Amino acid sequence: QPEVATVQHGRPPPLQTPSQSRVAAAEEEECRLSDVLALADAMPTALPLGVAGEASPDSQPLARSCPPAPPQELDLSIEAMGRRLGVPAPVVDACRAELRVTALHRWQAECLLLRGVLEGRSLVYSSPTSGGKSLVAWLLVARMLATRKKKALIVLPFVSLVEEVGATLSGLLAKLKVCRTAKKKRKKGMAALPRPVRVEVCHGARHSANFDNCDVAVCTIEKAHLIVNKLVFDKQLHELGAVVVDEVHLLGDPSRGHLLELLLAKLLFAQAPPA
């Protein structure tokens, strides 16, 4: 006999208190982030969850275990770490002059020296506010711009952060030069000449989702989603060499989390091997 669903008419479930609602929301956010990290583990190369780069044949699945500590005698000065990581000298000088950075924290060196990160392996990391998370990302982006000659996408949740980070990166990368030609000049066969890195700020009130005329796009979640959609539609996603996503816990945000989740899912899917 077919099963019959029954409905019990009784008292409605009790309303949750504000504290219970916060706990439930936190648990839901944790579950969504765990799902995305599980998806990243299943991919051979997880592109964008923290700081990411171009896929390489030797890329490994995202590691969520603690990286091995670098040797105790490691020189953590910004100049020594810059040479070790292959960061261009103008960027190292700008870190000292613009950001007043003289040495890296030990945990920053651990992130940067984790096996495969410099070759394009994805990296998810966290630290307290003003703990130095951004510096790890900027060094990896600068190295990618100089070595792989691709583009970078910086995704931030708020317009104020977009403007602030755009100004910071403009100063940090001001003396770094890349060889890249515009699409129209490439069609004419014109040779690429060294030029300064172009940093573009993109949010609702400034600029369109145009990734053609810049090397680094600093944008909100909504603008980043439009840029990735356009790259996918134009079959130019290969031009993207690094993606930095700040405040990735906003995956659980009820109003904007789905856009960030879609953005990350598309990039992860693009890196999946063919069936």
Side-chain angles (χ1 to χ4, degrees):
Q1 295 181 352
E3 296 181 357
V4 178
T6 61
V7 178
Q8 295 181 353
H9 298 280
R11 297 177 61 185
L15 296 176
Q16 290 184 331
T17 64
S19 60
Q20 290 174 329
S21 299
R22 287 194 295 269
V23 171
E27 291 176 350
E28 182 181 355
E29 179 180 340
E30 183 178 355
C31 289
R32 294 185 65 184
L33 184 55
S34 298
D35 290 341
V36 174
L37 291 177
L39 175 62
D41 283 337
M43 298 294 181
T45 304
L47 179 67
L49 289 179
V51 179
E54 178 188 9
S56 66
D58 299 328
S59 297
Q60 299 294 326
L62 180 67
R64 289 161 62 188
S65 58
C66 294
Q72 294 293 331
E73 64 276 8
L74 181 66
D75 187 355
L76 296 177
S77 67
I78 187 64
E79 291 82 7
M81 288 300 300
R83 290 190 298 269
R84 185 184 183 100
L85 298 170
V87 178
V91 177
V92 173
D93 295 339
C95 284
R96 177 178 283 275
E98 300 285 338
L99 305 181
R100 302 293 190 268
V101 174
T102 58
L104 299 185
H105 297 299
R106 191 164 189 81
W107 72 265
Q108 292 172 323
E110 291 176 359
C111 288
L112 292 166
L113 297 177
L114 181 64
R115 183 173 61 88
V117 168
L118 297 181
E119 288 73 38
R121 186 183 185 183
S122 293
L123 173 64
V124 179
Y125 60 100
S126 64
S127 75
T129 302
S130 301
K133 296 188 295 291
S134 298
L135 182 61
V136 175
W138 306 160
L139 292 177
L140 289 175
V141 167
R143 184 182 187 277
M144 183 279 301
L145 290 171
T147 58
R148 296 177 185 169
K149 296 178 174 57
K150 292 181 178 289
K151 299 185 178 184
L153 184 65
I154 315 296
V155 186
L156 299 159
F158 307 117
V159 172
S160 58
L161 283 176
V162 170
E163 293 285 350
E164 179 183 347
V165 170
T168 299
L169 284 178
S170 295
L172 192 63
L173 304 176
K175 294 184 179 180
L176 179 62
K177 294 187 177 182
V178 294
C179 292
R180 187 177 293 116
T181 54
K183 189 183 298 184
K184 293 181 180 179
K185 293 184 179 180
R186 285 201 302 268
K187 290 182 180 179
K188 297 179 181 179
M190 299 178 66
L193 298 175
R195 60 165 178 78
V197 169
R198 295 171 182 166
V199 179
E200 192 82 13
V201 172
C202 305
H203 53 74
R206 287 186 57 182
H207 305 291
S208 61
N210 188 358
F211 206 40
D212 295 334
N213 300 323
C214 67
D215 304 297
V216 180
V218 185
C219 46
T220 55
I221 296 172
E222 292 79 7
K223 209 62 126 179
H225 191 224
L226 291 175
I227 289 174
V228 169
N229 282 346
K230 187 175 186 301
L231 290 175
V232 171
F233 182 80
D234 294 339
K235 298 181 180 180
Q236 295 178 341
L237 196 59
H238 61 277
E239 294 184 0
L240 193 58
V243 178
V244 179
V245 179
D246 192 19
E247 308 292 353
V248 75
H249 64 274
L250 286 177
L251 280 165
D253 185 79
S255 60
R256 306 171 72 201
H258 69 285
L259 287 177
L260 184 56
E261 188 171 0
L262 283 171
L263 169 67
L264 299 181
K266 288 173 185 176
L267 294 170
L268 289 172
F269 181 79
Q271 295 298 309

